[in-house]
């Protein structure tokens, strides 16, 4: 990481902040604000402290390494599309027909030898300093507490290395880790993830599970940790493929797990499958808190480090954040891996304000009736793609998927209730909106056909339409119509929610000639003129099976749910910055934001 810091000074416009700053809220808030700005920069905090615990740490904190697309590309040392091309070639590799073809394949085969990690029994640079079990103290590490209501400090960029019970499979996953005390960490590997599958094996066998966590080293390690590699494939293979050189691994001191030799900090330990601890709450990348839930706990055996380690961390919360840029690389690189199951897929796009699993757009070469539906089922059935709640497919003649306005126009001109599929499937463990955890509604929109014929029968101005609605229900407070030039204008209304929105939708049916698509959100914390955050809110807040009505117009209830909606779980709050912290950082000139910025990104409640 020290090399990375030097490299970032030269290549990444690194910002260095030497003022002593608190790991609780102050450092995370600065990083959070920075990554939302245009041309955001990585930041090195050289003097982290913990005011409440009276600690001055002796290592710096590096944040926002993936601060923008340009830097992300530089970290890969190539454009993610070129990594994708390499993978595509590999997947299409055929046995050579003759001598010439065999010769042509030689460079590709030689490059493949870089893929496999090299294991060494010698000590690595990450083991220069060894802290024995009795001296282990997680308070020596500048672990951040990001949000006021977080259940404690969390390691947010931990590379979690695990292996299957028989030692045959090794895995690297990026999971957050809650610090409980001096030597215990919560293992937030969600039920669908590889480390959780390994954990099940140890639990059944009644054996303790070894875990080694690494922090730092080549930034590509952490990207590999979040990459949705198929079960059973060690992420370090992907590392070797991208870097064009083998990952160099060394053995942990107290277990058999191998980790990269050049990481900065290594935390080794065991998870007792009998013990669970309450994990969370934690302000997550959905922009909501994930609620308290029991998760396995790791007891630490030893911590090793480099002589001068750098602590790496990230902040998650409302988009856009660092995971936008990590996710962009992932999206590009995994395109060829989706093609074997969906060969006519041309491209796909996961807009950052859909926080990845809440919205995906796919462009395809449509060949037959039901083709888009076939894709929906394929996506909802494979690996982590199956977490996607809302999928929209367009034909090959559609504009660029990332051209937000043009693609929305294209979709709205083809939106037809007959071509909407609402079904059920597995959902991300973080989803807060389904009536039960892990299973929820799925929405698939087939917008691959020609434009629909009929548009809005009788369009009205916003003011007139609002008045008509208010005559029917006084809780409708504001109204704005978007994309009125398309066949399916969106009518967005803001309500003071006192009842189930199904009642309001039923009342508004008489206005059917004036409405094609109705979207409802709460008054609290939503701005009618902020479509970026409205998309974020609505795709986060709906369970398609419960919250979408297709007749006589399409109605989407994007409000927070309560018992009135038949919702009996706890509805989590948004991640908000702490006002006093923002004010104090602003006074000290450490951030420079105004009311407009605060509202635009939902930094504070309103
Ligand atoms: C910043 C960030 C934080 C994450 N935190 C978690 C987490 O706490 N738990 C989890 O299961 N997945 C988390 N993920 C997603 C996983 O890293 C991702 O699903 C990965 O592919 C899991 O690897 P696996 O399939 O090998 O288990 C996070 C991803 C990012 C980018």
């Amino acid at each position: 990481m020290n090399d990375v810091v030097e490299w970032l000074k030269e290549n990444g416009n690194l910002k260095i902040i030497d003022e002593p700053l608190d790991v609780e809220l102050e450092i995370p808030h600065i990083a959070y604000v920075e990554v939302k700005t245009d041309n955001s920069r990585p930041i090195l905090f050289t003097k982290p402290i913990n005011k409440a615990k009276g600690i001055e740490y002796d290592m710096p904190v590096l944040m926002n390494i993936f601060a923008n697309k340009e830097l992300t590309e530089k970290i890969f040392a190539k454009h993610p599309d070129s990594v994708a091309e390499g993978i595509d070639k590999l997947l299409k590799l055929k046995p050579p027909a003759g001598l010439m073809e065999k010769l042509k394949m030689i460079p590709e085969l030689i490059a493949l030898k870089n893929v496999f990690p090299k294991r060494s029994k010698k000590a690595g640079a990450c083991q220069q300093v060894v802290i024995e079990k009795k001296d282990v103290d997680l308070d020596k590490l500048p672990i951040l507490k990001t949000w006021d209501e977080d259940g404690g400090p969390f390691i947010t960029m931990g590379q979690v290395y695990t292996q299957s019970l028989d030692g045959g499979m090794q895995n690297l996953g990026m999971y957050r880790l809650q610090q409980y005390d001096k030597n215990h960490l919560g293992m937030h590997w969600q039920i669908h993830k590889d480390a959780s599958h390994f954990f099940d094996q140890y639990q059944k066998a009644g054996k303790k599970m070894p875990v080694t966590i690494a922090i730092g080293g080549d930034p590509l390690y952490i990207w590999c940790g979040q990459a949705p590699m198929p079960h059973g494939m060690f992420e370090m293979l992907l590392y070797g493929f991208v870097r064009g050189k083998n990952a160099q691994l060394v053995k942990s001191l107290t277990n058999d797990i191998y980790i990269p030799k050049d990481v900065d900090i290594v935390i080794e330990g065991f998870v007792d499958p009998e013990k669970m601890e309450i994990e969370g709450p934690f302000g997550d990348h959905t922009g909501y808190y994930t609620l308290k839930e029991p998760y396995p706990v790791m007891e630490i055996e030893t911590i090793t480090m480099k002589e001068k380690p750098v602590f790496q961390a990230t902040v998650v919360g409302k988009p856009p954040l660092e995971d936008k840029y990590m996710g962009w690389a992932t999206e590009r690189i995994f395109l060829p891996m989706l093609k074997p199951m969906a060969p006519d897929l041309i491209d796909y796009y996961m807009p950052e304000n859909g926080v990845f699993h809440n919205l995906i757009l796919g462009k395809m070469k449509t060949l037959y009736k039901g083709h888009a539906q076939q894709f929906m089922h394929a996506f909802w059935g494979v690996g982590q793609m199956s977490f996607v709640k809302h999928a929209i497919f367009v034909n090959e003649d559609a504009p660029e998927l990332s051209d937000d306005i043009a693609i929305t126009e294209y979709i709205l001109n083809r939106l037809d209730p007959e071509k909407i599929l609402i079904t059920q499937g597995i959902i991300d463990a973080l989803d807060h909106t389904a009536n039960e955890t892990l299973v929820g509604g799925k929405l698939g929109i087939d917008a691959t056909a020609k434009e629909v014929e009929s548009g809005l029968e009788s369009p009205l101005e916003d003011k007139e339409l609002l008045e008509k609605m208010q005559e029917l229900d006084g809780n409708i407070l504001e109204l704005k119509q978007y994309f009125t030039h398309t066949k399916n204008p969106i009518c967005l209304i803001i309500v003071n929610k006192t009842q189930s929105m199904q009642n309001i939708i039923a009342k508004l049916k008489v206005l059917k000639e004036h409405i094609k698509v109705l979207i409802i959100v709460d008054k609290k914390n939503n701005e009618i003129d902020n479509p970026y955050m409205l998309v974020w809110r609505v795709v986060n807040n709906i369970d398609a099976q419960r919250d979408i009505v297709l007749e006589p117009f399409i109605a989407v209830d994007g409000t927070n749910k309560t018992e009135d909606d038949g919702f009996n779980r706890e509805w989590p709050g948004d991640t908000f910055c702490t006002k006093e912290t923002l004010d104090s950082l602003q006074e000290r000139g450490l951030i420079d934001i105004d009311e407009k910025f605060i509202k635009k990104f939902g930094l504070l409640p309103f």
Side-chain angles (χ1 to χ4, degrees):
M1 278 271 119
N2 276 312
D3 293 344
V4 174
V5 168
E6 288 310 311
W7 179 82
L8 285 172
K9 283 182 193 164
E10 293 270 307
N11 300 282
N13 195 16
L14 179 71
K15 194 187 254 188
I16 300 179
I17 303 185
D18 290 324
E19 181 162 340
L21 284 166
D22 204 327
V23 290
E24 293 200 1
L25 306 182
E26 285 189 343
I27 289 181
H29 277 29
I30 293 176
Y32 188 67
V33 166
E34 174 64 36
V35 82
K36 290 179 183 303
T37 58
D38 297 332
N39 310 315
S40 67
R41 300 164 65 181
I43 315 180
L44 184 73
F45 298 92
T46 59
K47 292 196 184 67
I49 57 169
N50 187 315
K51 284 183 199 148
K53 292 183 182 169
I55 305 172
E56 282 179 23
Y57 300 96
D58 60 4
M59 63 183 85
V61 179
L62 182 58
M63 298 191 69
N64 296 347
I65 298 189
F66 297 90
N68 52 57
K69 274 193 183 170
E70 198 191 337
L71 192 52
T72 304
E73 194 177 327
K74 281 185 185 165
I75 288 171
F76 277 80
K78 54 187 100 160
H79 193 281
D81 281 343
S82 93
V83 180
E85 265 169 43
I87 293 176
D88 193 41
K89 259 195 193 163
L90 200 63
L91 292 171
K92 290 181 181 150
L93 217 59
K94 287 195 201 99
L99 181 65
M100 278 315 284
E101 279 197 19
K102 273 188 191 152
L103 290 173
K104 266 198 225 155
M105 268 177 81
I106 289 174
E108 278 163 36
L109 295 178
I110 290 178
L112 270 188
K113 79 174 182 8
N114 299 325
V115 166
F116 301 99
K118 286 212 165 128
R119 292 180 161 81
S120 161
K121 288 250 157 73
K122 288 189 197 146
C126 59
Q127 291 161 332
Q128 281 165 349
V129 177
V130 179
I131 300 168
E132 286 178 34
K133 183 165 183 166
K134 63 178 179 31
D135 301 320
V136 163
D137 181 1
L138 286 169
D139 278 341
K140 295 257 159 63
L141 303 179
I143 304 176
L144 308 181
K145 182 178 168 189
T146 312
W147 305 108
D148 208 18
E149 290 168 42
D150 279 357
F154 287 80
I155 296 176
T156 52
M157 272 202 159
Q159 305 155 35
V160 181
Y161 293 85
T162 49
Q163 63 179 26
S164 57
L165 183 62
D166 64 5
M169 283 193 240
Q170 195 169 343
N171 190 68
L172 161 60
M174 176 184 188
Y175 319 117
R176 70 171 186 245
L177 308 152
Q178 179 169 1
Q179 181 193 348
Y180 291 121
D181 52 32
K182 286 186 185 307
N183 61 344
H184 289 93
L185 286 170
M187 303 283 108
H188 188 257
W189 49 57
Q190 294 149 5
I191 191 162
H192 305 115
K193 306 298 171 72
D194 288 348
S196 174
H197 299 325
F198 291 166
F199 176 73
D200 290 344
Q201 298 174 354
Y202 287 89
Q203 201 172 38
K204 278 204 186 92
K207 288 194 171 158
K208 285 193 177 178
M209 173 178 175
V211 178
T212 299
I213 297 155
I215 298 168
D218 187 337
L220 204 57
Y221 297 143
I222 197 68
W223 178 81
C224 289
Q226 59 81 61
M229 289 288 275
H231 178 67
M233 278 181 87
F234 187 24
E235 285 71 7
M236 283 289 110
L237 296 167
L238 183 59
Y239 175 88
F241 185 80
V242 176
R243 269 283 169 268
K245 65 175 195 211
N246 319 77
Q248 305 284 325
L249 309 183
V250 292
K251 196 182 128 348
S252 303
L253 299 186
T254 58
N255 64 45
D256 290 333
I257 294 175
Y258 281 75
I259 36 137
K261 68 177 187 186
D262 58 346
V263 292
D264 286 55
I265 300 162
V266 182
I267 305 171
E268 302 179 11
F270 287 89
V271 170
D272 180 345
E274 299 297 314
K275 280 192 198 147
M276 301 288 251
E277 197 64 64
I278 290 297
E279 202 268 1
F282 177 73
D284 222 312
H285 86 115
T286 53
Y288 285 80
Y289 279 89
T290 41
L291 303 171
K292 288 182 189 173
E293 268 191 84
Y295 269 91
V297 189
M298 171 184 177
E299 183 170 319
I300 300 171
E301 292 291 311
T302 182
I303 295 183
T304 72
M305 350 183 156
K306 282 186 175 159
E307 263 151 20
K308 284 195 167 176
V310 176
F311 190 82
Q312 188 189 357
T314 190
V315 186
V316 291
K318 290 177 188 159
L321 290 174
E322 201 178 356
D323 60 359
K324 160 180 171 175
Y325 302 106
M326 298 172 84
W328 165 69
T330 311
E331 178 199 274
R332 298 296 82 211
I333 290 171
F334 278 72
L335 175 61
M337 295 194 225
L338 288 173
K339 289 200 174 170
M341 62 148 194
D344 303 302
L345 181 72
I346 297 167
D347 199 3
Y348 75 116
Y349 173 55
M350 301 177 106
E352 80 230 22
N353 48 347
V355 302
F356 306 108
H357 56 266
N358 284 340
L359 183 60
I360 187 173
L361 307 181
K363 188 188 276 193
M364 59 189 288
K365 191 177 167 75
T366 320
L367 297 177
Y368 38 80
K369 198 172 154 191
H371 203 169
Q373 281 203 8
Q374 186 186 33
F375 273 32
M376 291 168 199
H377 291 294
F379 275 55
W380 290 330
V382 171
Q384 294 189 40
M385 221 17 131
S386 55
F387 302 153
V388 165
K389 286 209 295 185
H390 312 117
I392 306 177
F393 287 95
V394 295
N395 195 29
E396 57 186 322
D397 62 354
E400 276 289 305
L401 296 176
S402 56
D403 183 343
D404 299 335
I405 301 294
I407 197 69
T408 308
E409 286 168 350
Y410 180 97
I411 293 164
L412 291 174
N413 281 327
R414 286 159 182 79
L415 190 63
D416 175 356
E418 299 278 311
K419 300 219 158 172
I420 291 181
L421 173 67
I422 295 181
T423 179
Q424 197 182 51
I426 73 155
I427 47 175
D428 195 292
L430 302 180
D431 181 86
H432 63 273
T433 188
N435 285 349
E436 54 177 319
T437 56
L438 305 178
V439 189
K442 301 278 192 186
L443 169 76
I445 298 179
D446 174 357
T448 58
K450 292 206 175 76
E451 283 198 16
V452 291
E453 280 181 6
S454 56
L456 194 54
E457 236 178 281
S458 170
L460 293 180
E461 290 298 316
D462 288 357
K463 191 167 169 287
E464 199 183 346
L465 187 52
L466 177 62
E467 279 165 9
K468 279 191 187 297
M469 285 192 185
Q470 285 175 331
E471 277 165 25
L472 296 167
D473 196 307
N475 286 310
I476 301 172
L477 305 176
E478 293 171 53
L479 178 148
K480 183 176 166 89
Q481 295 177 91
Y482 285 91
F483 294 96
T484 46
H485 55 291
T486 67
K487 295 280 170 55
N488 283 285
I490 294 174
C491 173
L492 191 110
I493 59 171
I494 284 194
V495 298
N496 168 29
K497 184 167 173 172
T498 56
Q499 55 183 317
S500 160
M501 288 303 104
Q502 299 303 325
N503 299 340
I504 288 204
I505 294 168
K507 285 183 198 166
L508 296 183
K509 282 183 178 170
V510 293
L511 301 177
K512 63 177 191 284
E513 72 263 35
H514 310 300
I515 305 171
K516 274 288 192 179
V517 181
L518 177 76
I519 299 185
I520 315 174
V521 294
D522 293 290
K523 170 77 188 129
K524 216 166 164 230
N525 299 322
N526 292 307
E527 249 192 325
I528 202 147
D529 288 320
N530 188 347
Y532 180 90
M533 290 312 286
L534 286 168
V535 169
W536 164 79
R537 177 74 75 195
V538 173
V539 293
N540 237 317
N541 262 7
I542 59 172
D543 176 286
Q545 279 188 316
R546 185 193 55 217
D547 300 328
I548 296 185
V549 173
L550 296 178
E551 287 296 330
F553 44 76
I554 299 171
V556 181
D557 172 10
T559 60
N560 297 354
K561 303 301 174 312
T562 65
E563 279 172 11
D564 290 340
D565 304 291
F567 184 86
N568 296 313
R569 293 163 67 195
E570 188 183 342
W571 190 270
D574 288 19
T575 53
F576 287 118
C577 295
T578 303
K579 187 167 182 328
E580 299 77 61
T581 308
L582 283 186
D583 288 347
S584 139
L585 295 171
Q586 180 87 6
E587 271 165 31
R588 285 182 279 161
L590 291 158
I591 55 172
D592 181 17
I593 53 174
D594 55 16
E595 279 306 311
K596 205 169 145 217
F597 184 94
I598 291 175
K599 235 175 171 186
K600 181 173 172 198
F601 295 113
L603 259 50
L604 294 172
F606 56 92

